[in-house]
Amino acid sequence: MTMALAGCGAGSPGASSSSSGGSNGSNTSDYDPSSTAKPTVTNNGKTEQYKPAEGSATATLRIASGSENKEVSAAIQKAVDDSKVAVTIDYMGSLDIMKALQAGGRNYDAVWPASSMWISMGDTKHVVKDANSTSVTPVVFGIAKSKAVKLGWADSSGKTKSVSTKDIIAAVKSKQLKFSMTSATQSNSGASAYLAFLTAIVGANRAVTAADLSNANVQANVQTLLSGVDRSSGSSDWLKDMVVANPGRFDAMVNYESLVIQTDRSLTAKSKDPLLAVYPSDGIAVSDSPLGYVDRGQKLNDAYGKFSDALHSKDSKLLFERAGRRTGLGGTLTNKDDAKVKEAFRADWGINTSAETLKAIPMPAAGVINSALTVYQTMLRKPSWTVWVVDYSGSMYGSGKDGVVRGLNAALNPAQAKQARIEPGSKDVNILIPFSSDASVAAKTVGSDTTQVLSEGQNTDPMGGTNIYKGLELALRNMPSDRSAYTTAIVLMTDGQSQTGDKDAFTSLYRSQGNDVPIFSIMFGDADPSQLKELASLSNAKVFDGRSEDLATVFREVKGFN
């Protein structure tokens, strides 16, 4: 049985997560248009609406999906055109898909996570019917060719050698390898990789058990491996965009093979060093991308059947494979002789299309997976150092401050944060810097007791003007002396346009420090998007739009990136 988990929201580094009128990020429509129709994007880029290119739709399905399916936009549009069934796709994280199923499916007619595991864990009411894999893609290391050759893991042709998890741990320990990876509690690729690491380190050729999770040697080796993570993310797709935006800074990542292929398309188009796909020889996780009908008594099963059949058709499979997904038996290629499929699965990118490459790990029991994710979040992951730079200017009085307090509690109150699997770990550091015309450090906490930060957030009174750069400069001066020991981040929240007198001083300080810290911004009210996008571009980060969403939800999403 293959192992995989579900994806999360997306957005390009240096850009806002809001979008409309077109598709966000890379998708197969970008290089393989098969229809005159394109999806309409709404809800800050988290919803795509597909309609038939010709004629009216006979029905509309609402689908809860992982963000990785944005990359197969052309296959989705083809299925909509052929079935005459429109679809509205809401992109969300693995926990959200699981929770929707635990609630009976809410208003969804179908689910499309990255892994059947989330259906198995979430479908406690047994509402999912007719679930079938649409494609598969393994979770691999993507390592810049020059680095892979230097490590001795590839030759000059791009052909990779057998690399074990032990080899990867040794490279991390000797500081020869740092890599970016999504959070195991927020994204399928991160969770899949983490479970594969656990399985390989246990080394028993069986599924991980609860006893393995408390084994001190296993814990120590996983911690060592995860100490190599130099940038975390809540989204596989966003991680890919981050590497493409700055390949000189980010030369290795853990991600789907299909997204390594997408990354290499973009990198080689810019004459940059491609990433080579490295498949750990002692076990990898494979995403099986199942689409399943949610039977709430809405009687749309016929429409679902038509759309599902079209998505599994020969023509759609071709589009899946052109996007870098595998559709053949055992992870082979159905259309290996197609020119565009060959362009995707290139040997000089380290891509190995042999089914033997996909040595999938056995799936642990659901309870063990839950425990493994808890252990990851509270003990094994690299600790985070997060500085919360929060607007307490006069305009924040009333509902603005109330929203901030709710958001901070959603992200840092252990009981609330646990619901989203973002609870603080024993070594996590959280610092609160309120700002208005000036800024000051109000509180700093280490570990799971964040009471002081939350208390200061509640008790600080809004007043004065808005100067985000004073707060950001102070945040830089409160970074750890050894940044390699943490995944660092600055979270900026503002509702207004900032004074700019201190902008140059901040920018100069940021660039002089060399080791970039991502500045994730949350905008609402009258915040200036251009100022926040500039900060995101400077720091290889992202802007979250809180103007149309509950701030508590947005704060949770931001924390998932660190």
Side-chain angles (χ1 to χ4, degrees):
M1 201 168 188
T2 55
M3 163 51 77
L5 315 171
C8 265
S12 299
S16 168
S17 60
S18 63
S19 179
S20 62
S23 187
N24 244 17
S26 298
N27 58 61
T28 56
S29 297
D30 292 336
Y31 53 84
D32 189 9
S34 61
S35 174
T36 57
K38 303 293 179 189
T40 300
V41 183
T42 57
N43 188 27
N44 294 331
K46 297 176 183 177
T47 299
E48 291 184 340
Q49 297 170 299
Y50 291 81
K51 296 180 180 179
E54 298 180 2
S56 300
T58 59
T60 299
L61 300 173
R62 191 168 200 97
I63 303 174
S65 168
S67 69
E68 69 282 341
N69 290 323
K70 286 185 177 184
E71 74 190 60
V72 293
S73 178
I76 297 170
Q77 186 64 60
K78 177 66 175 172
V80 167
D81 289 348
D82 290 350
S83 67
K84 301 299 181 186
V85 174
V87 296
T88 297
I89 301 180
D90 289 334
Y91 295 107
M92 61 186 67
S94 51
L95 279 175
D96 294 320
I97 294 174
M98 185 179 73
K99 288 180 177 179
L101 289 177
Q102 289 172 339
R106 298 200 177 109
N107 64 333
Y108 291 105
D109 305 305
V111 289
W112 193 4
S115 168
S116 55
M117 188 196 68
W118 291 105
I119 295 177
S120 299
M121 293 178 69
D123 190 23
T124 55
K125 298 183 184 297
H126 308 292
V127 294
V128 179
K129 315 292 182 186
D130 302 321
N132 290 289
S133 173
T134 57
S135 63
V136 300
T137 187
V139 178
V140 302
F141 275 82
I143 302 175
K145 182 178 179 179
S146 56
K147 178 176 282 292
V149 171
K150 186 176 181 180
L151 286 167
W153 295 354
D155 62 25
S156 58
S157 73
K159 183 179 180 181
T160 57
K161 302 176 182 179
S162 179
V163 178
S164 68
T165 302
K166 184 178 180 180
D167 295 328
I168 295 168
I169 292 173
V172 169
K173 188 178 291 187
S174 63
K175 301 190 182 304
Q176 296 181 77
L177 177 66
K178 296 188 297 183
F179 57 93
S180 302
M181 174 177 152
T182 59
S183 166
T185 63
Q186 302 301 309
S187 169
N188 174 62
S189 62
S192 297
Y194 165 61
L195 291 170
F197 296 157
L198 275 171
T199 305
I201 288 168
V202 169
N205 293 316
R206 57 163 171 77
V208 171
T209 66
D212 295 326
L213 299 177
S214 58
N215 182 298
N217 184 60
V218 170
Q219 290 182 356
N221 277 288
V222 173
Q223 282 181 319
T224 299
L225 200 162
L226 293 179
S227 72
V229 175
D230 71 340
R231 181 66 77 90
S232 184
S233 166
S235 162
S236 305
D237 199 52
W238 186 85
L239 196 69
K240 175 260 298 180
D241 290 341
M242 182 187 74
V243 172
V244 169
N246 196 344
R249 164 66 178 85
F250 304 105
D251 58 7
M253 70 173 176
V254 173
N255 216 325
Y256 298 115
E257 175 191 68
S258 59
L259 289 183
V260 171
I261 289 170
Q262 298 263 359
T263 300
D264 284 349
R265 279 191 164 113
S266 298
L267 291 177
T268 54
K270 299 191 296 184
S271 299
K272 300 293 185 181
D273 200 17
L275 302 184
L276 299 187
V278 174
Y279 306 78
S281 60
D282 42 4
I284 59 175
V286 180
S287 163
D288 62 345
S289 191
L291 177 72
Y293 179 61
V294 177
D295 188 354
R296 300 176 287 106
Q298 73 274 43
K299 301 187 185 305
L300 285 172
N301 49 307
D302 287 343
Y304 168 82
K306 292 177 182 177
F307 175 73
S308 179
D309 287 347
L311 197 63
H312 288 85
S313 71
K314 181 179 179 180
D315 289 342
S316 290
K317 285 184 177 182
L318 176 60
L319 294 174
F320 272 109
E321 293 194 346
R322 288 178 175 178
R325 301 277 191 94
R326 304 174 184 229
T327 67
L329 185 65
T332 57
L333 297 177
T334 303
N335 302 278
K336 63 180 181 179
D337 295 326
D338 177 80
K340 290 187 176 181
V341 172
K342 289 181 178 180
E343 289 175 5
F345 292 87
R346 288 173 51 173
D348 59 337
W349 291 348
I351 304 297
N352 188 332
T353 57
S354 168
E356 285 72 34
T357 305
L358 306 190
K359 183 183 177 183
I361 63 170
M363 181 181 288
V368 174
I369 294 172
N370 270 316
S371 296
L373 294 177
T374 298
V375 170
Y376 166 89
Q377 182 64 25
T378 58
M379 294 176 58
L380 301 184
R381 66 179 169 84
K382 196 174 188 176
S384 64
W385 185 293
T386 310
V387 183
W388 303 84
V389 181
V390 182
D391 191 341
Y392 277 85
S393 61
S395 60
M396 289 291 293
Y397 185 82
S399 61
K401 177 185 171 181
D402 291 343
V404 165
V405 171
R406 286 198 312 274
L408 288 172
N409 275 275
L412 297 178
N413 180 296
Q416 292 187 37
K418 187 175 182 179
Q419 301 303 309
R421 291 194 185 276
I422 55 172
E423 64 266 41
S426 60
K427 296 181 180 179
D428 286 352
V429 176
N430 285 282
I431 298 173
L432 176 65
I433 297 180
F435 73 90
S436 52
S437 301
D438 208 339
S440 62
V441 176
K444 175 181 178 180
T445 61
V446 179
S448 59
D449 185 357
T450 55
T451 304
Q452 187 180 0
V453 165
L454 297 176
S455 177
E456 290 296 331
Q458 176 67 62
N459 295 331
T460 300
D461 294 323
M463 63 178 68
T466 304
N467 187 346
I468 63 177
Y469 301 104
K470 276 287 189 183
L472 292 173
E473 182 178 344
L474 190 56
L476 289 179
R477 299 189 187 282
N478 280 272
M479 284 290 122
S481 56
D482 180 9
R483 296 190 187 179
S484 66
Y486 299 87
T487 56
T488 57
I490 296 171
V491 179
L492 168 68
M493 196 291 305
T494 183
D495 78 334
Q497 186 171 11
S498 175
Q499 304 164 22
T500 58
D502 295 299
K503 176 182 174 181
D504 290 345
F506 158 74
T507 303
S508 177
L509 176 63
Y510 184 92
R511 288 177 172 155
S512 70
Q513 292 194 349
N515 193 355
D516 65 313
V517 178
I519 302 171
F520 296 110
S521 300
I522 302 172
M523 66 174 173
F524 73 106
D526 297 320
D528 184 351
S530 64
Q531 288 182 326
L532 304 185
K533 289 179 182 178
E534 187 175 36
L535 290 169
S537 180
L538 173 70
S539 63
N540 296 295
K542 177 179 178 178
V543 179
F544 294 81
D545 193 341
R547 295 172 297 184
S548 59
E549 292 187 67
D550 176 66
L551 276 178
T553 301
V554 177
F555 269 76
R556 280 195 298 268
E557 184 179 358
V558 173
K559 192 66 186 82
F561 276 67
N562 190 41

